[in-house]
Amino acid sequence: MPKTFLQVTDSSFPALVEDGSMHAPVLVDVWAPHCAPCRALEPWLNTLQLSMPNLTIVKLNAEAEVALAQRWQIKQLPTLLLFVGGELQARAAGVITGKQLQEFMASVLMPTQINATDSLNAPALLAELEQLIVSEQFEALAQKIATLPDAVTRAPAFQLLIARVNARQFKPEPNDIHQHLAASIQNARRLAAGEDYCQAIEILLAIEATPDEREIIANALLPILDTMPDRRRAHQYRRLWLQR
């Protein structure tokens, strides 16, 4: 599970969730490391954060915080708890799609709370930024980014794109190539160790590699693919790598 969302504990829950929801909605994602549906929910949470930058999303590890999970009567994973005004307003348990997640949020929040970025279309925005990255229009990309709210640029999905931009823009001198590869591989392995598998793989795939460098990258990439819990996505990434 990516570590981009803040983890809450029994001691931090009152301030971060209950008190915090007095100022803006707080969505608690109750998960566990072994839970495959919890990992499947992650991309939808990333998209939701982009479309609702005023929303705070936090994680509650049900295995690590047993007493807290019992307090909120967690019986199924994942479970989403939506707090507004210091109180639990709604919950959703089990597998949930992106559309169902939007409907869940809309069941409680006013339209102005759901869309805090003037009808920002998160999937369309990501697609637009992705195209600018692929075509290496970095100046246009920077201009676009400058128009986005800070809360949007802090979203996990956006941070992943920034990592790809940094990897593509880096043009090392010949003597610096191996140093750059070593740094990228070290960073990718660190992310994978923290279960940020997608970001780790994206960093490696974004490197413009020579044939010799490709072998070095493969030695780092393939073990990450082999250990990635989401096997469907791992196979997709493997195909991307083989097509390069």
Side-chain angles (χ1 to χ4, degrees):
M1 183 211 68
K3 305 296 184 183
T4 43
F5 293 117
L6 184 65
Q7 296 285 332
V8 293
T9 63
D10 188 63
S11 60
S12 65
F13 193 94
L16 293 176
V17 178
E18 295 170 302
D19 294 345
S21 68
M22 296 296 294
H23 307 286
V26 178
L27 182 65
V28 182
D29 174 27
V30 188
W31 70 288
H34 69 274
C35 173
C38 298
R39 294 190 294 270
L41 178 62
E42 193 72 24
W44 300 121
L45 293 178
N46 289 337
T47 299
L48 180 66
Q49 184 69 86
L50 272 176
S51 63
M52 292 185 61
N54 67 326
L55 173 71
T56 299
I57 300 178
V58 298
K59 298 280 188 176
L60 194 167
N61 186 335
E63 292 184 352
E65 300 292 337
V66 176
L68 190 56
Q70 291 176 344
R71 172 189 170 190
W72 294 105
Q73 301 179 354
I74 304 302
K75 299 179 180 179
Q76 186 177 359
L77 296 178
T79 290
L80 297 176
L81 305 175
L82 180 58
F83 285 77
V84 182
E87 301 289 341
L88 175 62
Q89 301 294 334
R91 69 167 63 217
V95 178
I96 186 170
T97 66
K99 181 179 179 181
Q100 290 170 332
L101 178 57
Q102 291 289 347
E103 292 173 348
F104 168 70
M105 301 302 293
S107 69
V108 175
L109 302 180
M110 299 293 291
T112 54
Q113 293 175 295
I114 294 174
N115 193 345
T117 55
D118 296 329
S119 300
L120 173 65
N121 185 322
L125 172 62
L126 289 174
E128 179 183 356
L129 297 177
E130 173 74 18
Q131 183 56 44
L132 291 174
I133 293 172
V134 171
S135 60
E136 298 191 349
Q137 299 180 50
F138 298 120
E139 184 175 350
L141 179 66
Q143 293 174 353
K144 179 66 177 180
I145 290 173
T147 67
L148 300 175
D150 290 342
V152 173
T153 61
R154 290 195 301 267
F158 185 90
Q159 289 297 317
L160 178 58
L161 285 175
I162 293 300
R164 295 185 62 196
V165 171
N166 292 337
R168 281 180 174 269
Q169 283 187 303
F170 186 86
K171 303 296 183 182
E173 297 295 329
N175 293 337
D176 295 333
I177 289 177
H178 291 297
Q179 181 179 353
H180 170 57
L181 281 178
S184 297
I185 289 172
Q186 182 180 11
N187 188 28
R189 285 173 173 165
R190 176 183 59 81
L191 290 167
E195 299 183 14
D196 288 355
Y197 297 103
C198 292
Q199 188 166 346
I201 293 169
E202 290 280 359
I203 287 175
L204 295 175
L205 290 180
I207 299 174
E208 299 294 338
T210 66
D212 290 340
E213 295 163 2
R214 182 179 171 85
E215 182 177 354
I216 296 173
I217 295 171
N219 290 334
L221 174 65
L222 297 181
I224 296 176
L225 290 174
D226 289 340
T227 57
M228 186 176 182
D230 187 339
R231 300 313 303 160
R232 181 181 63 83
R233 183 167 292 185
H235 291 319
Q236 291 175 341
Y237 278 128
R238 191 182 297 273
R239 286 196 296 270
L240 285 175
W241 169 251
L242 293 176
Q243 291 169 1
R244 291 191 55 180

